[in-house]
Structures are given as C-alpha cells and as structure tokens.
Amino acid sequence: MTHHPPATARVLLASALSVTGLLTTAACSVEEPRPRWFSASAPASAASPAAEQPAGSGAALTEAQAQAALITEADLGEPWGPTRGARTWRDGLLKATTEKRDCQRLLDALYAEDLFGSPKGPHAVAALDDADTDAQLRYQVAAHPPADVDRALDWLKSLPGKCGQFMAATTRGGIQAVEVSGMPLPPVGDSRQALRVTLAGETEEGELTYLTMDLAAARVGEEAITVTNAGLDEVHAEVTQQTVKLGVRRLTDLREQGRAQI
C-alpha cells in the first residue's frame, strides 16, 4: 500500500530534487549521487521534557540483573514477538552521509544503535518485531558513567534545533530528506530524552516510501536504557514511551533489590 507523505516531507523531497537538478547541470559542482529515493513518516512535534538532576547512583547491576531488566514480548503483548532478523532498510537507508557533523553523528548512532559508546559494565539487548506493521524495536540496558549519559542526552535534546531538516546520501546512491523532532517521554528515571527521526525518499520505480525511527533513552543511576522503534509503516510513539516507562520501573526495582541485599 502506498503511503502519502506529509506536507513537510513533500516540501523536502521537492527541495531535494531541485538541488539535485542544479548539481547535475552546474559545471563545477561537487560530485553528488543522482537521486534514487528511499523512505520516512510523519514527525512528532512536542519537545521532550528537560532532564532532571541525577538522583544518586549506587551499586551497578550484575549481568543476570541486566538480563532480567530487559523488556520482552510478554510485556508488550500482541502483535509483538521475537525478532526475525535485521531489516533491509538498515543498510539501505540508515547507512548514509551528510556534511553536517552533528547530523552525521546522529545517523551513525541510529545505524549502530549505539548512543553511549562501549558499556562500562553489564550489557543486555532484546529485539522484537511487530507482526502487524513490521516495525522493529530494540531495547538495551547497559552500565555507563552518569555524566557521560547525561551529556549524550543533552546532545539529543539539541538536535531538533541543529538537524531539524537536512539531506543525506545513502551508500547505494539515494538522496533522503531527513526530519528530526523531539518526542515527549514520561517523567521517569534520573534523566531522559527522545527523538523521532523520519527519512523520506523514493524507490527506483518512483514510489514514495518512509522510514520512521524513534530513539529514546533514560538513565537510572549508573545504568542507561536505550530504545529504538522503527519501521516503514506506522510506528507508534506510545509504544516507545511506554517501553521507556516500563523499563525504568523494572530497572529501578532491580536496583532497589540489589541495595536491599547489600
């Protein structure tokens, strides 16, 4: 089924086509791939609440506790189930480049699903698929220095201003119109932030397609949870938000149990 673009996506796509046309006709233009489009969906508009001050850490989780802190298909319910593997749009769309430094860093983080760098302690990951919309959710729990996490969350908060709209070239020669907007999260954890990123393009056959990707993270003491929720069809923001809320609650309970056992 063809999904029609929102007005903002249509404007960006038209702009991209105009820019591409100029590049191909200018005698001294920088080498640029010819347009061959790919994907995106409607942006979220609300800004994320400001991060709260850290509430104090405590002992880090064990490997077993990190695994126990993961969100499962039982938590989300139908139509969510175990993943069937990485989606083809990961390499086709997220493996892309732009001249804007912060925007490139964002694309790299989305592709690698790595916001905070190498964990400094226990690390656990779960991946789930939505059988109805073919969306894919990835949930991570990892130990990181609180100051590093909060700096990364502050950087996320700045991106709607720095990278609200930009163009990116995929490694397969396509051009994408990218929009970045803030997403509200429940007031949970010591600090938190979320974005909705949409990538609009066109297939070789001329069909408009869209990739929507939510990126959300929250810190609880010395652990951070990261959620990506993405797909070429409808991606429900409330799934991302409730996953963060449930994940923070579970992580907090595990940390309290760990302190009680000391």
Side-chain angles (χ1 to χ4, degrees):
M1 180 173 63
T2 300
H3 297 276
H4 297 290
T8 50
R10 290 198 299 268
V11 170
L12 282 171
L13 287 170
S15 175
L17 289 169
S18 298
V19 170
T20 305
L22 289 173
L23 287 171
T24 55
T25 56
C28 301
S29 62
V30 178
E31 286 190 11
E32 194 80 13
R34 294 180 66 84
R36 198 187 58 187
W37 301 85
F38 284 78
S39 5
S41 168
S45 57
S48 174
E52 299 171 359
Q53 292 299 315
S57 53
L61 296 184
T62 64
E63 290 284 353
Q65 287 174 322
Q67 288 290 333
L70 291 176
I71 298 301
T72 69
E73 62 267 27
D75 296 311
L76 297 183
E78 293 184 356
W80 291 93
T83 185
R84 299 186 300 275
R87 294 290 184 261
T88 55
W89 46 255
R90 291 186 53 75
D91 284 335
L93 304 177
L94 294 177
K95 215 170 186 178
T97 58
T98 181
E99 294 182 355
K100 296 183 177 182
R101 183 176 178 181
D102 281 293
C103 307
Q104 184 64 59
R105 180 182 168 189
L106 173 61
L107 290 174
D108 292 343
L110 293 175
Y111 176 73
E113 292 181 305
D114 178 9
L115 180 60
F116 302 119
S118 299
K120 301 301 188 288
H123 178 218
V125 182
L128 303 169
D129 290 347
D130 183 331
D132 287 348
T133 66
D134 219 27
Q136 189 166 72
L137 184 145
R138 193 165 188 263
Y139 183 90
Q140 300 183 66
V141 178
H144 294 280
D148 291 352
V149 173
D150 289 344
R151 276 194 295 272
L153 296 180
D154 286 342
W155 173 71
L156 278 188
K157 185 180 180 180
S158 73
L159 290 182
K162 294 178 178 178
C163 301
Q165 296 181 350
F166 66 96
M167 307 308 298
T170 71
T171 56
R172 298 180 180 181
I175 302 295
Q176 295 185 85
V178 186
E179 291 191 23
V180 181
S181 55
M183 171 185 289
L185 287 178
V188 294
D190 297 324
S191 53
R192 85 243 20 112
Q193 198 65 44
L195 297 174
R196 170 157 286 198
V197 181
T198 63
L199 301 93
E202 191 173 286
T203 67
E204 291 179 328
E205 292 73 31
E207 182 181 359
L208 295 178
T209 55
Y210 308 95
L211 175 68
T212 301
M213 191 165 195
D214 293 346
L215 171 62
R219 181 176 66 77
V220 181
E222 295 184 7
E223 280 77 40
I225 62 175
T226 307
V227 178
T228 56
N229 182 19
L232 294 172
D233 203 332
E234 190 169 10
V235 174
H236 300 289
E238 58 268 24
V239 170
T240 307
Q241 294 160 337
Q242 290 305 310
T243 299
V244 171
K245 184 177 181 179
L246 177 58
V248 167
R249 184 188 307 149
R250 181 165 297 169
L251 192 53
T252 300
D253 290 345
L254 285 166
R255 290 181 59 81
E256 290 176 351
Q257 291 172 17
R259 284 195 294 269
Q261 293 169 4
I262 296 176

